[in-house]
């Protein structure tokens, strides 16, 4: 068998039908730039504070106890690294902290990084995925400081999945 590294890139260029920031939005594989499905909780694909292209994924933190997250729903065999651009607004005295996790089965999640603070300007973030990890999640931590009013936003774009493809 020969193995080589390949990548898939999600730029969230196809807008989803829902712009309800206070619910769950599903991005199916046909709406994805790279054929990978997503679930977005307390967020959506939006032009709001976009990082590049037409849209970015926008996760929200409100004054309530709902913390936005973005997770893949399509398994990626051989997933070894995920890199993306991100920025976190500090509007209304909020401080967004981010948890990064992976899953082997799409339901049990293991943290890679907890309570990381992201810049208000877009920066590249990269995380190695342990062997067997097939799913990836970016979540606003419950340890974040909630906004005093309205909301604050975590923006994600240009997600690159690095995986090992095998041919026999």
């Amino acid at each position: 068998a020969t193995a080589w590294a390949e990548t898939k890139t999600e730029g969230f260029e196809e807008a989803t039908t829902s712009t309800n920031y206070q619910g769950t939005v599903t991005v199916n594989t046909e709406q994805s730039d790279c054929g990978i499905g997503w679930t977005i909780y307390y967020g959506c694909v939006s032009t709001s504070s976009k990082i590049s292209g037409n849209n970015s994924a926008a996760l929200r933190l409100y004054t309530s106890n709902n913390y936005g997250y973005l997770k893949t729903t399509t398994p990626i065999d051989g997933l070894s690294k995920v890199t993306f651009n991100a920025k976190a607004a500090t509007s209304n005295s909020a401080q967004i902290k981010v948890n990064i996790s992976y899953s082997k089965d799409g339901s049990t999640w293991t943290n890679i990084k907890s309570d990381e603070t992201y810049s208000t300007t877009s920066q590249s973030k990269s995380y190695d995925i342990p062997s067997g990890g097939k799913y990836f999640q970016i979540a606003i931590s419950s340890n974040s400081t909630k906004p005093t009013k309205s909301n604050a936003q975590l923006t994600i774009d240009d997600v690159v999945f690095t995986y090992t493809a095998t041919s026999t």
Side-chain angles (χ1 to χ4, degrees):
T2 304
W4 65 96
E6 293 196 13
T7 62
K8 291 181 180 260
T9 303
E10 176 65 65
F12 302 101
E13 291 311 305
E14 176 133 3
T16 53
T17 53
S18 175
T19 55
N20 175 13
Y21 284 96
Q22 296 189 39
T24 301
V25 173
T26 300
V27 178
N28 63 40
T29 56
E30 291 79 28
Q31 295 168 310
S32 167
D33 297 341
C34 63
I36 294 173
W38 298 87
T39 294
I40 304 172
Y41 177 72
Y42 269 69
C44 65
V45 175
S46 172
T47 59
S48 175
S49 297
K50 67 184 178 183
I51 293 174
S52 69
N54 295 323
N55 302 294
S56 293
L59 308 178
R60 293 282 174 90
L61 174 61
Y62 288 88
T63 56
S64 63
N65 284 321
N66 295 299
Y67 302 90
Y69 65 75
L70 169 75
K71 66 180 178 181
T72 58
T73 57
T74 304
I76 305 169
D77 289 329
L79 182 62
S80 60
K81 185 194 297 190
V82 179
T83 305
F84 56 90
N85 293 324
K87 62 182 177 179
T90 55
S91 50
N92 302 315
S93 302
Q95 182 186 28
I96 293 176
K97 294 182 180 183
V98 181
N99 292 339
I100 302 297
S101 54
Y102 76 98
S103 176
K104 294 181 178 185
D105 61 11
S107 60
T108 304
W109 296 89
T110 303
N111 271 350
I112 296 171
K113 184 81 174 179
S114 298
D115 296 332
E116 187 172 2
T117 302
Y118 287 4
S119 173
T120 55
T121 57
S122 177
Q123 292 183 323
S124 179
K125 299 291 182 177
S126 185
Y127 301 93
D128 291 329
I129 307 300
S131 179
K134 296 181 180 185
Y135 301 87
F136 182 74
Q137 178 175 261
I138 302 165
I140 296 174
S141 170
S142 60
N143 293 326
S144 298
T145 303
K146 291 186 278 187
T148 52
K149 63 180 181 177
S150 191
N151 67 76
Q153 180 169 303
L154 172 64
T155 307
I156 307 294
D157 208 345
D158 308 315
V159 182
V160 177
F161 299 97
T162 302
Y163 61 99
T164 303
T166 308
S167 73
T168 52

